[in-house]
Amino acid sequence: MKESKEKMSKGVTRRDALKLSAMALGGLAVGGAMNGPGAGDAQAATECPDPGHCYPTNDPTQQYYYYDHLPNVYRPNDPTDPKIALRDDEMRITFLGSMVPPVRRAQQEMSVFVEVGPWVYDPKHPTDPTYGRATDSIVFDCGSGVCANYGAMNIQYSRMNKIFLTHLHADHMSDLTHLYCFGPGGGRYSPLYVWGPGPSGVKNPKAPPKYYDDGTKALCRNLREALRWSTESFSFQASACEGYERPTRKKWGLPCNPVPVGDDPTDDGYAVVPIELNWRHYGKSERDNVAYDNPDTGVKITHFPVIHCRKGSIGYKLEWNGLSMIFTGDTKPEYMSVNNAINGNNGVDVFIHEMGLPPEVWAMKNLHLNKPGSGSQWDAYVNEMKSVINSSHSPIGAFGYILSQINPKPRLTVATHFQTADDTVDCAKNSILLHWPDMQWGRNFIVSFDLMVLNVTKTAITQFQSKVPAFGFSPLISVPDNLKPPKYWKWGQDSQGNRVKVGNPLAQIDRSTEIPEKDPATGDCNYRDDGY
Ligand SMILES: [Zn+2]
Ligand SMILES: [Zn+2]
């Protein structure tokens, strides 16, 4: 067979296509009982369909994305919005970030928030859903900038204590800093639980050390210590409650005991508890890939390896009440995501997968061009983009191929980690339709953007765009009555005049250069103590 080096629509050569086919057989061998999509045509390499090069044409400084396919509006700050209080059978998936680096104003980096019903009202606000919370809620990834979106969506820190990281790239975890440090002041009077992959096991080519400690436990340990000044400085405020019910390995169905990394008490808001996962596991032996299985809320989360940049990246599948969603994180085309989406021929309800621009288009956009460039600078930059895609991502054509291999199809596929704009989305639609002619834009396939909300039940998946205030303040806070005294305390009085331990905000400062409210010599007022 004559080998063609001509680039095909997926950005792969014929040789690569043959390799991919061979990998299908490899996937079967490794996976044992897994369905092996692509195995049937492993012997006969086919030409990839060519969509023509659909270069985005918009002026890169004038990119927009019109959400015309989403007529439904969600207002998470409006107590009269009937969609806030999840019904017993509802799962809500919210995109708080949806962008590949670098972060942009229209899109923060990755984070997907999943909540399941029924809605639990705050006892102090029994009729106002905006103070309430879902029965269980999960944060998948927590990239740069997403805390601004969580706040705008009125998602309290107390609802964000379970973080599942797909991998330890900064665009998937850098807002952990904010979430961790400001959580206790924002109402999370309980530890931060962080799931994620264990060490990669990749050998260091410049040993020693032979291996780096590059897993989630090390991340949490170092995060905790790096933020010591920040957490101590705020520890004149309460960070724990009386009677916190600590989770156990059994209670949450964890693969290890939930033990904090530092010296923080196990009920404290500044405690960080890593739940490290063996990224190689995918369910070959029963339950070897269960990350969380909570019988009280019915949420079960399993994990599987994906291929991204360095060993150790994982995807997650969340199952609840007969519904399922997958978030693959970042990955090259691979069979674990495909097989999890096939889900034993049951399919999944929502399949969330990354999608990338072709290297040439990515280079055009980053260099502010609206047609391909030329010359050595251009070639060098396109090669850079190619190396990133080849080690790490699924460009639009490859993503189309992945979807062609998933049968039955997910009820809804969401492409994410993508520079969403009208022209890039048009470009993606063309490539995906060639592989999946039944794709119905806006119905079974969409591209994510920040603050997009999916309401999922067995009968319908409804998409919403959210309306939130750009100049909003904090999410609503309900202060519990049973706070423990803070770490830096002094004797004081409660509202009934009882002698109690209260926070001591002056314990950690040097006041020798302070300008006092009243001049100590004359007693004259320098400034008012009520702040006005
Ligand atoms: Zn990544
Ligand atoms: Zn990423």
Side-chain angles (χ1 to χ4, degrees), residues 7-83:
K7 287 286 167 198
M8 303 180 194
S9 66
K10 294 196 293 190
V12 296
T13 61
R14 172 181 282 273
R15 178 185 287 153
D16 290 333
L18 286 165
K19 271 193 212 157
L20 268 175
S21 299
M23 275 167 56
L25 289 176
L28 262 182
V30 171
M34 296 192 306
N35 297 302
D41 52 26
Q43 299 305 319
T46 54
E47 292 289 349
C48 276
D50 184 352
H53 293 285
C54 48
Y55 295 127
T57 50
N58 290 0
D59 176 344
T61 61
Q62 297 290 320
Q63 285 191 32
Y64 298 102
Y65 183 56
Y66 295 108
Y67 314 137
D68 50 3
H69 61 290
L70 289 188
N72 301 309
V73 169
Y74 178 57
R75 292 187 167 82
N77 293 279
D78 177 356
T80 66
D81 189 320
K83 298 312 293 178

Coordinates of all heavy atoms in Angstrom, one line a residue, residues 7-83:
K7 N -1.2 15.4 4.9 CA -1.9 15.6 6.1 C -3.4 15.4 5.9 O -4.0 15.9 4.9 CB -1.7 17.0 6.7 CG -0.4 17.2 7.3 CD -0.2 16.5 8.6 CE 1.2 16.4 9.0 NZ 1.4 15.4 10.0
M8 N -4.0 14.6 6.8 CA -5.5 14.4 6.6 C -6.2 15.4 7.6 O -5.6 16.1 8.3 CB -5.8 13.0 7.0 CG -5.0 12.0 6.1 SD -5.4 10.3 6.5 CE -4.1 9.5 5.7
S9 N -7.5 15.3 7.6 CA -8.3 16.3 8.4 C -8.0 16.2 9.8 O -8.0 17.2 10.6 CB -9.8 16.1 8.2 OG -10.1 14.8 8.7
K10 N -7.6 15.0 10.3 CA -7.3 14.9 11.8 C -5.9 15.4 12.1 O -5.6 15.3 13.3 CB -7.5 13.5 12.2 CG -8.9 12.9 12.1 CD -9.1 11.7 12.9 CE -8.3 10.5 12.3 NZ -8.7 9.2 13.0
G11 N -5.2 15.8 11.1 CA -3.8 16.1 11.4 C -2.9 14.9 11.6 O -1.9 15.0 12.2
V12 N -3.3 13.8 11.1 CA -2.5 12.6 11.2 C -2.1 12.1 9.8 O -2.9 12.3 8.8 CB -3.2 11.4 12.0 CG1 -3.5 11.8 13.4 CG2 -4.4 11.0 11.3
T13 N -1.0 11.4 9.7 CA -0.6 10.9 8.4 C -1.2 9.5 8.3 O -1.7 8.9 9.3 CB 0.9 10.8 8.3 OG1 1.3 9.9 9.4 CG2 1.6 12.1 8.4
R14 N -1.1 8.9 7.1 CA -1.6 7.5 6.9 C -0.8 6.6 7.9 O -1.4 5.7 8.4 CB -1.3 7.1 5.4 CG -1.6 5.6 5.2 CD -1.3 5.2 3.8 NE -2.4 5.7 2.9 CZ -3.5 4.9 2.7 NH1 -3.7 3.8 3.3 NH2 -4.5 5.3 1.9
R15 N 0.5 6.8 8.0 CA 1.2 6.0 8.9 C 0.7 6.1 10.3 O 0.5 5.0 11.0 CB 2.7 6.4 8.9 CG 3.6 5.6 9.9 CD 5.0 6.1 10.0 NE 5.7 5.8 8.8 CZ 6.7 6.6 8.4 NH1 7.1 7.6 9.0 NH2 7.4 6.2 7.3
D16 N 0.3 7.3 10.8 CA -0.3 7.5 12.1 C -1.6 6.7 12.2 O -2.0 6.2 13.2 CB -0.5 9.0 12.4 CG 0.8 9.6 12.6 OD1 1.8 9.0 13.0 OD2 0.9 10.9 12.3
A17 N -2.4 6.8 11.1 CA -3.7 6.2 11.1 C -3.5 4.7 11.3 O -4.3 4.0 12.0 CB -4.4 6.5 9.8
L18 N -2.5 4.1 10.6 CA -2.3 2.7 10.8 C -1.9 2.4 12.2 O -2.3 1.4 12.8 CB -1.2 2.2 9.8 CG -1.6 2.1 8.3 CD1 -0.4 2.0 7.4 CD2 -2.5 0.9 8.1
K19 N -1.0 3.3 12.8 CA -0.6 3.1 14.2 C -1.9 3.1 15.1 O -2.0 2.3 16.0 CB 0.3 4.2 14.6 CG 1.7 3.9 14.3 CD 2.6 5.0 15.1 CE 3.8 5.3 14.4 NZ 4.4 6.6 14.7
L20 N -2.8 4.0 14.8 CA -4.0 4.1 15.6 C -4.8 2.8 15.6 O -5.3 2.3 16.6 CB -4.9 5.2 15.1 CG -4.7 6.6 15.7 CD1 -5.5 7.6 15.0 CD2 -5.0 6.6 17.2
S21 N -4.9 2.3 14.3 CA -5.6 1.0 14.2 C -5.0 -0.1 15.0 O -5.6 -0.9 15.6 CB -5.7 0.6 12.7 OG -6.3 1.6 12.0
A22 N -3.6 -0.1 14.9 CA -2.9 -1.2 15.7 C -3.2 -1.0 17.2 O -3.3 -2.0 17.9 CB -1.4 -1.1 15.4
M23 N -3.3 0.3 17.6 CA -3.5 0.5 19.0 C -4.9 0.0 19.4 O -5.1 -0.4 20.6 CB -3.5 2.0 19.3 CG -2.1 2.6 19.6 SD -2.1 4.4 19.5 CE -3.3 4.7 20.7
A24 N -5.8 -0.1 18.5 CA -7.1 -0.6 18.8 C -7.0 -2.0 19.3 O -7.6 -2.4 20.3 CB -8.0 -0.5 17.6
L25 N -6.1 -2.8 18.6 CA -5.9 -4.2 19.0 C -5.2 -4.2 20.4 O -5.6 -5.0 21.2 CB -5.1 -4.9 18.0 CG -5.8 -5.2 16.7 CD1 -4.8 -5.8 15.7 CD2 -7.0 -6.1 16.9
G26 N -4.2 -3.3 20.5 CA -3.5 -3.2 21.8 C -4.5 -2.9 23.0 O -4.4 -3.5 24.0
G27 N -5.4 -2.0 22.7 CA -6.4 -1.6 23.7 C -7.2 -2.9 24.1 O -7.5 -3.1 25.3
L28 N -7.6 -3.7 23.1 CA -8.3 -4.9 23.4 C -7.6 -5.8 24.3 O -8.1 -6.4 25.3 CB -8.6 -5.6 22.1 CG -10.0 -5.4 21.5 CD1 -10.1 -6.3 20.3 CD2 -11.1 -5.7 22.5
A29 N -6.3 -6.0 24.0 CA -5.5 -6.9 24.7 C -5.3 -6.5 26.2 O -5.5 -7.3 27.1 CB -4.1 -7.0 24.1
V30 N -5.1 -5.2 26.4 CA -4.9 -4.7 27.7 C -6.2 -4.7 28.5 O -6.3 -5.1 29.6 CB -4.4 -3.2 27.7 CG1 -4.4 -2.6 29.1 CG2 -3.0 -3.2 27.1
G31 N -7.3 -4.3 27.8 CA -8.6 -4.2 28.5 C -9.3 -5.5 28.8 O -10.2 -5.5 29.5
G32 N -8.9 -6.5 28.1 CA -9.6 -7.8 28.4 C -11.0 -7.8 27.9 O -11.3 -7.8 26.7
A33 N -11.9 -7.6 28.8 CA -13.3 -7.7 28.5 C -13.9 -6.4 27.9 O -15.0 -6.3 27.5 CB -14.2 -8.0 29.7
M34 N -13.0 -5.4 27.7 CA -13.5 -4.1 27.2 C -14.0 -4.3 25.7 O -13.5 -5.1 25.0 CB -12.4 -3.1 27.2 CG -11.9 -2.7 28.5 SD -10.8 -1.3 28.4 CE -9.7 -1.7 27.2
N35 N -15.0 -3.4 25.4 CA -15.4 -3.4 24.0 C -14.2 -2.7 23.3 O -13.7 -1.7 23.7 CB -16.6 -2.5 23.8 CG -17.8 -3.2 24.5 OD1 -18.1 -4.4 24.3 ND2 -18.4 -2.5 25.5
G36 N -13.9 -3.2 22.1 CA -12.7 -2.6 21.4 C -13.1 -1.8 20.2 O -13.1 -2.4 19.1
P37 N -13.6 -0.6 20.3 CA -14.0 0.2 19.2 C -12.8 0.3 18.2 O -11.7 0.5 18.7 CB -14.4 1.5 19.7 CG -13.7 1.6 21.1 CD -13.6 0.2 21.6
G38 N -13.1 0.3 17.0 CA -12.0 0.4 16.0 C -11.3 -0.9 15.7 O -10.6 -1.0 14.7
A39 N -11.6 -1.9 16.5 CA -10.9 -3.2 16.3 C -11.3 -3.8 15.0 O -10.5 -4.4 14.3 CB -11.2 -4.2 17.4
G40 N -12.6 -3.6 14.6 CA -13.1 -4.2 13.4 C -12.3 -3.8 12.1 O -12.2 -4.6 11.2
D41 N -11.9 -2.5 12.1 CA -11.2 -2.0 10.9 C -9.7 -1.9 11.1 O -9.1 -1.2 10.4 CB -11.9 -0.7 10.5 CG -11.9 0.3 11.6 OD1 -11.0 0.2 12.5 OD2 -12.7 1.2 11.6
A42 N -9.2 -2.7 12.0 CA -7.8 -2.6 12.3 C -6.9 -3.0 11.1 O -5.8 -2.5 10.9 CB -7.4 -3.5 13.5
Q43 N -7.4 -3.9 10.3 CA -6.6 -4.4 9.2 C -6.7 -3.5 8.0 O -5.8 -3.5 7.2 CB -7.1 -5.8 8.8 CG -7.0 -6.9 9.9 CD -5.6 -7.0 10.5 OE1 -4.6 -6.9 9.7 NE2 -5.5 -7.1 11.8
A44 N -7.8 -2.8 7.9 CA -8.0 -2.0 6.7 C -8.0 -0.5 7.0 O -8.9 0.1 7.5 CB -9.3 -2.3 6.0
A45 N -6.8 0.2 6.8 CA -6.8 1.6 7.1 C -7.6 2.3 6.1 O -7.6 2.0 4.9 CB -5.3 2.0 7.0
T46 N -8.4 3.3 6.5 CA -9.2 4.0 5.6 C -8.7 5.5 5.5 O -8.1 6.0 6.5 CB -10.7 4.1 6.1 OG1 -10.6 4.5 7.4 CG2 -11.3 2.7 6.0
E47 N -9.0 6.1 4.4 CA -8.6 7.5 4.3 C -9.5 8.3 5.2 O -10.7 8.1 5.3 CB -8.8 8.0 2.9 CG -7.8 7.4 1.9 CD -6.4 7.9 2.0 OE1 -6.2 8.9 2.8 OE2 -5.5 7.3 1.5
C48 N -8.9 9.3 5.8 CA -9.8 10.2 6.7 C -10.5 11.2 5.8 O -10.0 11.6 4.8 CB -8.9 11.0 7.6 SG -8.5 10.1 9.1
P49 N -11.8 11.5 6.2 CA -12.5 12.5 5.4 C -11.8 13.8 5.5 O -11.3 14.2 6.5 CB -13.9 12.5 6.0 CG -13.7 11.9 7.4 CD -12.5 11.0 7.3
D50 N -11.8 14.6 4.4 CA -11.2 15.9 4.4 C -12.2 17.0 4.4 O -13.0 17.1 3.5 CB -10.3 16.0 3.2 CG -9.5 17.3 3.2 OD1 -9.7 18.1 4.1 OD2 -8.6 17.5 2.3
P51 N -12.3 17.8 5.5 CA -13.3 18.8 5.6 C -12.9 20.0 4.8 O -13.6 21.0 4.8 CB -13.4 19.1 7.1 CG -12.0 18.8 7.6 CD -11.5 17.7 6.7
G52 N -11.8 20.0 4.2 CA -11.2 21.2 3.6 C -10.7 22.0 4.9 O -11.1 21.7 6.0
H53 N -9.8 22.9 4.7 CA -9.3 23.6 5.8 C -10.3 24.8 6.2 O -10.3 25.8 5.5 CB -7.9 24.1 5.6 CG -7.0 23.0 5.5 ND1 -6.5 22.2 6.5 CD2 -6.4 22.4 4.4 CE1 -5.7 21.3 6.1 NE2 -5.6 21.3 4.8
C54 N -11.1 24.6 7.2 CA -12.1 25.6 7.5 C -11.4 26.6 8.5 O -11.6 26.6 9.7 CB -13.3 25.0 8.2 SG -12.9 23.8 9.5
Y55 N -10.6 27.5 7.9 CA -10.0 28.5 8.7 C -11.0 29.4 9.3 O -11.8 30.0 8.6 CB -9.0 29.3 7.9 CG -7.8 28.5 7.3 CD1 -7.5 28.5 6.0 CD2 -7.1 27.7 8.2 CE1 -6.5 27.8 5.5 CE2 -6.0 26.9 7.7 CZ -5.8 27.0 6.3 OH -4.7 26.2 5.8
P56 N -10.8 29.7 10.6 CA -11.7 30.7 11.2 C -11.4 32.0 10.6 O -10.3 32.4 10.3 CB -11.3 30.7 12.7 CG -10.5 29.4 12.9 CD -9.9 29.1 11.6
T57 N -12.5 32.8 10.3 CA -12.3 34.0 9.6 C -12.4 35.3 10.4 O -12.1 36.4 9.9 CB -13.3 34.1 8.4 OG1 -14.6 33.8 9.0 CG2 -13.0 33.0 7.4
N58 N -12.9 35.2 11.6 CA -13.2 36.4 12.4 C -11.8 37.0 12.8 O -10.8 36.4 13.0 CB -13.9 36.1 13.7 CG -15.3 35.6 13.4 OD1 -15.8 35.6 12.3 ND2 -16.0 35.4 14.5
D59 N -11.9 38.3 12.8 CA -10.7 39.1 13.3 C -10.5 38.6 14.8 O -11.4 38.6 15.6 CB -11.1 40.6 13.3 CG -10.0 41.4 13.9 OD1 -9.2 40.9 14.6 OD2 -10.1 42.7 13.7
P60 N -9.3 38.1 15.1 CA -9.1 37.5 16.4 C -9.4 38.5 17.5 O -9.6 38.0 18.7 CB -7.7 37.1 16.4 CG -7.2 37.1 14.9 CD -8.1 38.1 14.2
T61 N -9.3 39.8 17.3 CA -9.6 40.7 18.4 C -11.1 41.0 18.5 O -11.5 41.7 19.4 CB -8.9 42.1 18.1 OG1 -9.4 42.6 16.9 CG2 -7.4 41.9 18.0
Q62 N -11.9 40.4 17.6 CA -13.3 40.6 17.7 C -14.0 39.3 17.7 O -14.9 39.0 16.9 CB -13.7 41.4 16.4 CG -13.2 42.8 16.3 CD -13.7 43.7 17.3 OE1 -14.9 43.7 17.6 NE2 -12.9 44.5 17.9
Q63 N -13.6 38.4 18.6 CA -14.3 37.1 18.7 C -15.4 37.1 19.6 O -15.4 37.7 20.7 CB -13.3 36.0 19.2 CG -12.3 35.7 18.1 CD -11.5 34.4 18.5 OE1 -12.0 33.6 19.2 NE2 -10.3 34.4 18.1
Y64 N -16.5 36.5 19.2 CA -17.7 36.4 20.0 C -18.2 35.0 20.0 O -17.8 34.2 19.1 CB -18.8 37.4 19.6 CG -18.4 38.8 19.6 CD1 -18.0 39.4 18.4 CD2 -18.4 39.5 20.8 CE1 -17.6 40.8 18.5 CE2 -18.0 40.8 20.9 CZ -17.6 41.4 19.7 OH -17.2 42.7 19.7
Y65 N -19.1 34.7 20.9 CA -19.8 33.5 20.8 C -21.3 33.8 21.2 O -21.5 34.2 22.3 CB -19.2 32.4 21.8 CG -19.9 31.1 21.7 CD1 -20.0 30.4 20.4 CD2 -20.5 30.5 22.8 CE1 -20.6 29.2 20.3 CE2 -21.1 29.2 22.7 CZ -21.1 28.6 21.4 OH -21.7 27.4 21.3
Y66 N -22.2 33.6 20.3 CA -23.6 33.9 20.5 C -24.3 32.6 21.0 O -24.2 31.6 20.3 CB -24.2 34.4 19.3 CG -23.6 35.8 18.9 CD1 -22.8 35.9 17.8 CD2 -23.9 36.9 19.7 CE1 -22.2 37.1 17.5 CE2 -23.3 38.1 19.4 CZ -22.5 38.2 18.3 OH -21.9 39.4 18.0
Y67 N -24.9 32.7 22.1 CA -25.5 31.5 22.7 C -26.9 31.3 22.2 O -27.9 31.1 23.0 CB -25.5 31.7 24.2 CG -24.2 32.1 24.8 CD1 -24.2 33.1 25.8 CD2 -23.0 31.6 24.4 CE1 -23.0 33.5 26.4 CE2 -21.8 32.1 25.0 CZ -21.8 33.0 26.0 OH -20.7 33.4 26.5
D68 N -27.1 31.5 20.9 CA -28.5 31.5 20.3 C -29.2 30.1 20.5 O -30.4 30.0 20.4 CB -28.5 31.9 18.9 CG -27.5 31.2 18.0 OD1 -26.8 30.3 18.6 OD2 -27.4 31.4 16.9
H69 N -28.4 29.1 20.8 CA -29.1 27.8 20.9 C -29.5 27.5 22.3 O -30.0 26.5 22.7 CB -28.1 26.7 20.5 CG -26.9 26.6 21.3 ND1 -25.9 27.5 21.2 CD2 -26.5 25.7 22.2 CE1 -24.9 27.2 22.1 NE2 -25.2 26.1 22.7
L70 N -29.3 28.5 23.2 CA -29.8 28.3 24.6 C -30.8 29.4 25.0 O -30.5 30.4 25.5 CB -28.6 28.5 25.5 CG -27.5 27.3 25.5 CD1 -26.5 27.6 26.6 CD2 -28.2 26.0 25.7
P71 N -32.1 29.1 24.7 CA -33.1 30.1 25.1 C -33.4 30.1 26.6 O -33.9 31.1 27.0 CB -34.3 29.6 24.3 CG -34.1 28.1 24.1 CD -32.6 27.9 24.1
N72 N -33.0 29.1 27.3 CA -33.3 29.0 28.7 C -32.3 29.8 29.6 O -31.1 29.7 29.4 CB -33.4 27.6 29.2 CG -34.4 26.8 28.4 OD1 -35.5 27.2 28.3 ND2 -33.9 25.7 27.9
V73 N -32.9 30.5 30.5 CA -32.0 31.4 31.4 C -32.1 30.9 32.8 O -33.2 30.6 33.3 CB -32.4 32.9 31.2 CG1 -31.7 33.7 32.3 CG2 -32.1 33.4 29.9
Y74 N -31.0 30.9 33.5 CA -30.9 30.4 34.9 C -30.4 31.6 35.7 O -29.4 32.2 35.3 CB -30.0 29.2 35.0 CG -29.8 28.7 36.4 CD1 -30.9 28.3 37.2 CD2 -28.5 28.6 36.9 CE1 -30.6 27.8 38.5 CE2 -28.3 28.0 38.2 CZ -29.3 27.7 38.9 OH -29.1 27.2 40.2
R75 N -31.1 31.9 36.8 CA -30.6 33.0 37.7 C -30.4 32.5 39.1 O -31.3 32.5 39.9 CB -31.7 34.1 37.7 CG -31.9 34.8 36.3 CD -32.8 36.1 36.4 NE -32.7 36.9 35.2 CZ -33.3 36.6 34.0 NH1 -34.1 35.5 33.9 NH2 -33.1 37.4 33.0
P76 N -29.2 32.1 39.3 CA -28.9 31.4 40.6 C -28.9 32.4 41.8 O -28.9 31.9 42.9 CB -27.4 30.9 40.4 CG -26.8 31.8 39.4 CD -28.0 32.2 38.5
N77 N -29.0 33.7 41.6 CA -29.0 34.6 42.7 C -30.5 35.1 43.0 O -30.7 35.8 43.9 CB -28.2 35.9 42.5 CG -26.7 35.5 42.4 OD1 -26.1 35.4 43.5 ND2 -26.1 35.3 41.2
D78 N -31.4 34.6 42.2 CA -32.8 35.1 42.3 C -33.6 34.0 43.1 O -33.9 33.0 42.5 CB -33.4 35.4 40.9 CG -34.8 35.8 41.0 OD1 -35.4 35.8 42.1 OD2 -35.3 36.1 39.9
P79 N -34.0 34.3 44.3 CA -34.8 33.2 45.1 C -36.0 32.8 44.4 O -36.5 31.7 44.7 CB -35.1 33.9 46.4 CG -34.2 35.1 46.5 CD -33.9 35.5 45.1
T80 N -36.6 33.5 43.4 CA -37.8 33.1 42.8 C -37.5 32.2 41.6 O -38.5 31.7 41.0 CB -38.6 34.3 42.3 OG1 -37.9 35.0 41.3 CG2 -38.9 35.3 43.4
D81 N -36.2 32.0 41.2 CA -36.0 31.1 40.1 C -36.3 29.6 40.6 O -35.6 29.1 41.5 CB -34.5 31.2 39.7 CG -34.3 30.4 38.4 OD1 -34.8 29.3 38.2 OD2 -33.5 30.9 37.5
P82 N -37.3 29.0 39.9 CA -37.7 27.6 40.4 C -36.6 26.6 40.1 O -36.7 25.5 40.6 CB -38.9 27.4 39.6 CG -38.8 28.2 38.4 CD -38.0 29.4 38.8
K83 N -35.6 26.9 39.3 CA -34.6 25.9 39.0 C -33.5 25.7 40.0 O -32.7 24.8 40.0 CB -33.9 26.2 37.6 CG -34.9 26.2 36.4 CD -35.8 25.0 36.4 CE -35.0 23.7 36.1 NZ -36.0 22.5 36.1

